[in-house]
Amino acid sequence: MSNIGLKISKPGVDVKTATDNNLIFSSQYPALKIQSQGTGTQAFDEAGGFLTLETHALGYRPFFIVWAKFPDFFSNLFILPARIPIVDANIQCYATASSTTLTLAVDVLPDFPEDPYEVDFDIEYKYVIFFDPIE
Amino acid sequence: MADYGIKISKEGTDVKEAITDANAKNFQLISSVGCLVKKEESTSDSETYMWWGAVLDGTTARSANFYPQVWGSLVQKFIIFANRFDE
């Protein structure tokens, strides 16, 4: 590693000797740089499904975070992946990133698969895609 | 894009390169794009700011993916980022 760069330490810590956990910023490590972000709402039913949240042109799989709210069942926001318990089923919700898209995936897993099961619900999602690749 | 700011490139990348979707990953810091920045720690999540959370059960910290009722009175801890959902 080169011995040039920029470091900012926490107050009271000598920046010349500070360990990594006492640094507020170090150019040795990449910052998580935001490429895009968005919000939206989508209706789903017992069939689950997929929703393309964003198409990007990065050409690699980027790091991302997706949050989701299930207002028909709970009032709080979940960070994905999440398994949401509802009456007689669980909603399994996660996101996948490819070199071109960020996709929301939803599976509804009934407690009694042999019985007909119907449910309609909305998912309110929020997401952020970073320039920083996963691979 | 403004012609001022701070760019720090990774080794092997010329810092004078214009930033594009294709090469942004080759920079450690680009002041013209937002970065995920830790704002504070909290015992509750946020509808306004991006966050990451965990449930502390004494020996482990588990991802805060479940409704709080599932975890009873266990401590939930969140890192709240300065980045807003609506930006």
Side-chain angles (χ1 to χ4, degrees), chain B residues 30-43:
Chain B
I30 307 168
S31 63
S32 60
V33 304
C35 295
L36 197 63
V37 175
K38 180 180 174 180
K39 178 174 178 281
E40 60 188 2
E41 295 180 8
S42 175
T43 55

Side-chain angles (χ1 to χ4, degrees), chain A residues 17-134:
Chain A
T17 57
T19 52
D20 289 347
N21 59 319
N22 283 315
L23 293 176
I24 292 173
F25 174 79
S26 170
S27 61
Q28 179 183 354
Y29 307 115
L32 285 172
K33 299 170 289 294
I34 294 174
Q35 192 266 348
S36 58
Q37 61 185 91
T39 64
T41 301
Q42 178 69 34
F44 287 91
D45 61 19
E46 64 278 0
F50 299 91
L51 174 67
T52 298
L53 300 181
E54 179 143 338
T55 300
H56 64 78
L58 294 174
Y60 53 85
R61 288 169 290 188
F63 180 59
F64 63 88
I65 307 175
V66 181
W67 297 261
K69 181 183 281 189
F70 304 81
D72 298 287
F73 311 111
F74 296 114
S75 61
N76 58 305
L77 192 62
F78 294 80
I79 192 168
L80 302 186
R83 190 177 173 98
I84 309 300
I86 62 175
V87 176
D88 292 334
N90 284 277
I91 299 171
Q92 186 168 278
C93 191
Y94 60 98
T96 61
S98 73
S99 61
T100 57
T101 59
L102 177 66
T103 302
L104 182 71
V106 179
D107 293 323
V108 178
L109 308 173
D111 293 338
F112 307 102
E114 66 277 13
D115 293 335
Y117 185 83
E118 295 182 356
V119 63
D120 293 301
F121 58 95
D122 287 340
I123 295 181
E124 299 172 6
Y125 56 84
K126 306 171 188 289
Y127 65 88
V128 58
I129 300 174
F130 298 94
F131 280 112
D132 308 81
I134 292 175

